[in-house]
Amino acid sequence: MAPQSRAEDQSAWVILLTSVMVGALVVVASVSAFGLLVGPGATQAAELSRVTSFMYWTQPFIYVMAGLLAGARDSRWGPVRAPIIGLLLASICWVILRKQELLPSEGNVVAYLMTAGALFTLGGAMIAPLIKDYVGKAVGGLVVLGVLAFVWTYLNLGTISGVVQREHIVRIGGQAAKWDTVPVPGASVALLDSAQTTVLYTTKTNNGGRYQIGGAPVGDYALRVWDPTTTAVLTEQVTLEPSITGGTRWKLVALPTITEDTGNLFE
């Protein structure tokens, strides 16, 4: 084998390994970053719903970058090897999601990851020879674009907070002797989808009756509160606003009044 040919093969393998390593690191980073988009109290249903859309828009960035690197200096074999790299990166993503129990039961996400991995890396490898010396800038541009998209998603997360309270009446001999507004600690609070079919976020009120739910995408939801003393369940529609603008307006939830009889007036 001629020295020049041997050097070209070594260079091709270096590029191949670089694209695999860089792609794998970014895949791991992207899945780790997903945790920043899911607030505390998120149910598994909320996580699975969010991770599906998150994978749909983040992974193509990674696969195109890996394809660009694979085809940067190997216009002949880059497009041939690129789909294999894409499938490898998609498999890494699948393993991480499965380990973290973030893999939906339906196979749509897995099929998408594998298909996108092969096609987007192939597209990147075919584009690379056309832009030649601008591959590095293209990869950098995709990184910046991906980060900006992530920041935009993060800024469009909403928060809702408020207090759960009730009227407490003390009666003596059938007459109301004391009437107070008291907080309700330990009440279960949940955020459901607007159709009220799936519980997405849960929390409990603190000793002051206050609650807060954050890290949910802005939009319409149903806020549900379970009375810890009675069997009452209150549900009302709410619209989450971005946390960066202060979140949704303070929400007061008034549970049914409790009346306490303490005996006769002259005892």
Side-chain angles (χ1 to χ4, degrees):
M1 181 181 293
Q4 183 178 357
S5 178
R6 187 181 297 115
E8 289 177 353
D9 287 345
Q10 291 177 349
S11 177
W13 279 108
V14 169
I15 293 173
L16 180 64
L17 291 175
T18 300
S19 61
V20 171
M21 292 179 63
V22 171
L25 288 174
V26 180
V27 166
V28 173
S30 68
V31 178
S32 299
F34 172 72
L36 299 175
L37 300 179
V38 181
T43 64
Q44 188 176 27
E47 291 182 344
L48 293 178
S49 174
R50 298 280 300 283
V51 78
T52 300
S53 60
F54 184 75
M55 290 300 108
Y56 280 167
W57 70 262
T58 57
Q59 298 310 295
F61 283 101
I62 302 171
Y63 301 147
V64 171
M65 285 190 293
L68 286 171
L69 293 174
R73 297 186 181 277
D74 191 359
S75 59
R76 180 182 178 184
W77 294 105
V80 176
R81 294 165 176 162
I84 300 175
I85 297 173
L87 292 174
L88 176 60
L89 296 180
S91 299
I92 293 173
C93 183
W94 175 79
V95 170
I96 297 174
L97 292 177
R98 184 174 182 179
K99 186 176 181 180
Q100 297 184 2
E101 297 182 350
L102 291 175
L103 199 64
S105 57
E106 65 273 9
N108 295 342
V109 173
V110 177
Y112 171 79
L113 288 175
M114 296 302 174
T115 304
L119 294 181
F120 281 102
T121 49
L122 175 60
M126 294 178 67
I127 294 173
L130 301 177
I131 59 177
K132 297 180 180 179
D133 295 336
Y134 293 96
V135 168
K137 292 182 179 180
V139 171
L142 287 173
V143 171
V144 172
L145 187 60
V147 171
L148 290 176
F150 178 85
V151 172
W152 174 258
T153 303
Y154 184 80
L155 294 179
N156 278 277
L157 296 179
T159 301
I160 184 170
S161 58
V163 63
V164 179
Q165 61 187 34
R166 73 164 87 248
E167 299 297 325
H168 182 213
I169 302 175
V170 177
R171 296 192 306 184
I172 301 178
Q175 301 294 322
K178 187 177 181 182
W179 192 320
D180 291 325
T181 300
V182 297
V184 181
S188 297
V189 182
L191 203 62
L192 291 76
D193 63 327
S194 58
Q196 302 183 24
T197 57
T198 306
V199 176
L200 301 175
Y201 292 83
T202 60
T203 188
K204 284 185 177 292
T205 56
N206 61 15
N207 292 334
R210 296 185 178 183
Y211 66 89
Q212 179 172 313
I213 295 176
V218 296
D220 296 327
Y221 295 88
L223 183 70
R224 181 167 294 173
V225 179
W226 288 265
D227 191 334
T229 303
T230 70
T231 58
V233 179
L234 276 67
T235 304
E236 56 182 298
Q237 297 296 127
V238 295
T239 300
L240 260 64
E241 301 293 339
S243 300
I244 192 174
T245 61
T248 305
R249 190 176 179 180
W250 183 266
K251 193 71 177 178
L252 168 66
V253 179
L255 294 180
T257 301
I258 287 184
T259 302
E260 178 183 355
D261 291 307
T262 61
N264 296 323
L265 180 63
F266 299 105
E267 285 185 349

